[in-house]
Amino acid sequence: MDEDSDERTEELGTLQSIYPELVIEPSHRYKATLDLLVAPTKPLPVTFTPEDTVERLGYLPSLHVEFDLPHEYPNEAPPHVEITTTPQWLPESSAQKLADEAKSLWDEYGGGMVLFAYISSLQEQAETCFGIEELTLPTMMRKELLDYSKQMKRELFDKETFDCEVCLEPKKGSACYRMERCSHVFCVACLQDYYNNCITEGAVNNVKCMSTECGGNKKKERLISPKELLQIPISRKQVERYVNIKRKKKMESDPNIMFCPRQWCQGAMRSPRYPKITDVTQMDDSDSEAEEDVQAQPEAPTGPEKRAVGVRGMDRLAVCEDCTLAFCVVCLSSWHGDFVRCEPRDANQLTEEDQASLNFIMKNTSPCAYCSVPCQKSFGCNHMTCAQCKTHFCYLCGAWLDPGRPYQHFNDPKNKGCFQRLMDGAEGDMANGDVQFGGRRGAEQLADFWEQEAMRIQMQINDEDTR
């Protein structure tokens, strides 16, 4: 075996110890192939024609480098290099330029072994995608490249180790999930426990990233999209419940939405603004926005939006999305045509069940100071935050509270009704505590007291008359 042969064998053996993925051909011991990872530090924008769809790819199919060391290498001739990609996303001119760099590097070194330096140069250039700022490829390659990028991202993630931000235990990436929007990492078990509990209890506004770094600085909060919940994975049944509760909350807070007058139905009217959900896997991720902006509240509540008066003609027609009943939004009767005059339904026409429900709400809940959503406390202090619009208000008197210093309300002697009463009724409404309320609920409480007092006096008078 001559000296040149020994040098070629030694160089390939050394390279294989550094790059175990280097493959030396059994039939030709001076030929070798190596696949290099292409992961640009900034995702590469790729335009797929003729649809002109732009995708940003974080990983591209690997660079296949084939080395052929001639008999004269390394002293008298450079290595022969061929570079390809499968599919062929790298332009031929760029591939040829990269291959020619092997000869340029050999000339610069004045001969000698250059394969390690050449491979290192390719790896460095791969971080900037070999100087390519954007690519234009045929649409037929789109699915393959997207699938490869996702698969490679997942494979590399699975091999890493992360500390879950909830349980604080180190977990392999295969047992973790990285949030799409903020890149925070949690173990799948913690995510499933938290999100399943939130959805089961109806607290859908809490289905967002659990990191303390998210949602700060009064930025617009983002809820987790249905597609991402399915990827964690959360069961499809739970995700369907999640999107339906979100939709229901939005519809109930919209004063323009009417509900079916049939007692056994109570479905919402059809509305293009709130289309009925048929497949959660096809929902747009834009639906992941929180229902309200976390912004500074106005100095005084302006009250909910009121329905416009004087609805005429076919604008009065609504169709229930569940039972398909056509009804009038003014009188809540079955549709009677657009030429029939009708009047709004009188409050006295409430059913016995509806009236009982309304009475319970009036006596046992405190309304939000901004959107009037009824709130019933289970435990804790009397500083409340509305689950619907995030307004801070006092549970005792219903007054709006400054989000920056909400407890000033309970420390101000001028507020005689609430002064030093932050923890009154801390056990909750169901504890049957004797708590004096103010505002609308206090008026209901006072009216109920005098009604019972009047009945007691009347019964006392009747007893004295019978004697």
Side-chain angles (χ1 to χ4, degrees):
M1 183 177 295
D2 58 26
E3 183 179 354
D4 290 341
S5 299
D6 289 340
E7 288 183 341
R8 289 182 292 173
T9 303
E10 179 183 353
E11 183 173 17
L12 288 178
T14 302
L15 280 179
Q16 198 169 40
S17 64
I18 300 173
Y19 303 101
E21 58 272 24
L22 181 77
V23 178
I24 301 176
E25 292 188 13
S27 59
H28 195 318
R29 59 180 177 176
Y30 304 125
K31 275 189 176 182
T33 57
L34 178 65
D35 289 333
L36 295 178
L37 178 68
V38 181
T41 52
K42 292 183 179 180
L44 181 69
V46 181
T47 303
F48 294 95
T49 57
E51 297 180 357
D52 290 334
T53 304
V54 179
E55 301 286 353
R56 294 185 175 274
L57 302 181
Y59 297 90
L60 291 159
S62 59
L63 204 68
H64 184 75
V65 186
E66 183 174 335
F67 302 101
D68 185 1
L69 306 183
H71 179 74
E72 297 82 6
Y73 178 82
N75 296 325
E76 300 177 3
H80 297 160
V81 178
E82 183 178 351
I83 292 180
T84 57
T85 57
T86 305
Q88 188 178 349
W89 62 267
L90 185 67
E92 291 185 6
S93 58
S94 298
Q96 187 59 48
K97 181 179 178 181
L98 292 175
D100 292 342
E101 286 182 7
K103 182 179 184 305
S104 300
L105 192 64
W106 184 82
D107 290 337
E108 182 181 342
Y109 276 46
M113 296 181 287
V114 296
L115 293 186
F116 176 76
Y118 176 64
I119 293 174
S120 299
S121 175
L122 290 179
Q123 289 177 320
E124 290 178 3
Q125 294 181 70
E127 295 179 358
T128 58
C129 203
F130 313 107
I132 300 173
E133 296 183 356
E134 59 180 356
L135 273 178
T136 301
L137 299 173
T139 302
M140 59 183 296
M141 297 173 62
R142 179 173 178 267
K143 184 179 185 303
E144 186 174 359
L145 292 183
L146 283 175
D147 290 345
Y148 177 86
S149 181
K150 291 179 180 178
Q151 178 184 354
M152 185 57 62
K153 182 179 180 181
R154 186 67 212 182
E155 288 180 359
L156 295 176
F157 179 79
D158 289 347
K159 294 177 182 178
E160 293 186 55
T161 300
F162 303 90
D163 290 331
C164 173
E165 294 192 28
V166 177
C167 63
L168 305 179
E169 293 183 5
K171 300 285 183 69
K172 294 295 292 183
S174 56
C176 296
Y177 180 81
R178 189 195 299 274
M179 309 303 290
E180 290 184 355
R181 185 166 180 261
C182 58
S183 298
H184 290 122
V185 177
F186 307 90
C187 69
V188 172
C190 288
L191 290 175
Q192 289 177 333
D193 287 345
Y194 178 69
Y195 292 146
N196 279 326
N197 286 336
C198 288
I199 296 172
T200 300
E201 295 174 2
V204 294
N205 280 348
N206 292 332
V207 181
K208 48 196 173 187
C209 178
M210 291 187 285
S211 175
T212 55
E213 298 177 3
C214 284
N217 300 325
K218 296 186 178 180
K219 292 181 179 179
K220 192 170 186 178
E221 295 178 299
R222 298 275 294 188
L223 303 183
I224 307 300
S225 69
K227 287 184 179 180
E228 188 169 3
L229 287 176
L230 291 170
Q231 292 172 8
I232 287 176
I234 304 297
S235 69
R236 179 164 179 157
K237 182 178 179 180
Q238 283 287 77
V239 176
E240 289 176 349
R241 173 178 168 81
Y242 167 66
V243 296
N244 284 323
I245 291 177
K246 279 208 307 178
R247 177 173 178 264
K248 183 180 179 183
K249 281 179 172 287
K250 291 180 180 180
M251 295 179 73
E252 288 178 345
S253 64
D254 190 337
N256 297 312
I257 296 296
M258 299 295 293
F259 293 86
C260 179
R262 287 175 171 171
Q263 293 185 12
W264 54 267
C265 178
Q266 296 291 299
M269 61 183 280
R270 293 176 184 172
S271 170
R273 187 175 181 183
Y274 309 105
K276 198 164 187 179
I277 299 166
T278 56
D279 186 0
V280 294
T281 62
Q282 301 301 321
M283 290 189 64
D284 190 346
D285 287 353
S286 62
D287 188 53
S288 60
E289 294 185 7
E291 295 174 11
E292 297 290 341
D293 289 338
V294 182
Q295 299 176 345
Q297 300 296 335
E299 294 183 359
T302 58
E305 180 184 353
K306 300 297 183 183
R307 180 182 299 280
V309 179
V311 182
R312 295 183 177 181
M314 297 300 292
D315 292 338
R316 297 178 297 174
L317 173 63
V319 179
C320 175
E321 65 179 11
D322 292 336
C323 68
T324 68
L325 171 70
F327 63 95
C328 174
V329 299
V330 177
C331 64
L332 299 182
S333 300
S334 297
W335 180 239
H336 42 60
D338 56 341
F339 296 106
V340 176
R341 180 179 179 180
C342 62
E343 298 294 337
R345 189 174 186 178
D346 191 87
N348 295 328
Q349 294 179 330
L350 290 176
T351 64
E352 183 178 351
E353 182 180 355
D354 290 341
Q355 187 63 54
S357 177
L358 179 61
N359 292 342
F360 179 86
I361 292 174
M362 297 292 287
K363 293 180 180 179
N364 297 280
T365 64
S366 296
C368 168
Y370 182 72
C371 67
S372 299
V373 166
C375 170
Q376 187 176 38
K377 187 176 73 174
S378 57
F379 62 88
C381 70
N382 292 313
H383 164 216
M384 308 298 291
T385 303
C386 178
Q388 181 68 31
C389 67
K390 307 300 182 184
T391 296
H392 296 254
F393 67 97
C394 174
Y395 190 67
L396 296 176
C397 67
W400 175 82
L401 303 181
D402 184 352
R405 46 177 190 172
Y407 301 105
Q408 180 65 28
H409 175 79
F410 302 97
N411 296 328
D412 189 351
K414 295 179 181 179
N415 297 326
K416 296 181 180 180
C418 302
F419 179 56
Q420 294 186 346
R421 296 184 61 197
L422 175 65
M423 300 306 296
D424 275 20
E427 298 83 2
D429 292 325
M430 304 309 292
N432 297 321
D434 186 14
V435 179
Q436 181 61 47
F437 291 90
R440 187 210 71 183
R441 187 170 180 181
E444 290 289 331
Q445 190 180 44
L446 192 61
D448 186 55
F449 168 78
W450 285 115
E451 182 181 355
Q452 295 181 11
E453 188 68 12
M455 291 180 61
R456 185 188 65 78
I457 294 173
Q458 185 63 43
M459 291 179 63
Q460 185 177 357
I461 294 173
N462 292 339
D463 289 344
E464 291 177 356
D465 290 343
T466 56
R467 293 176 184 174

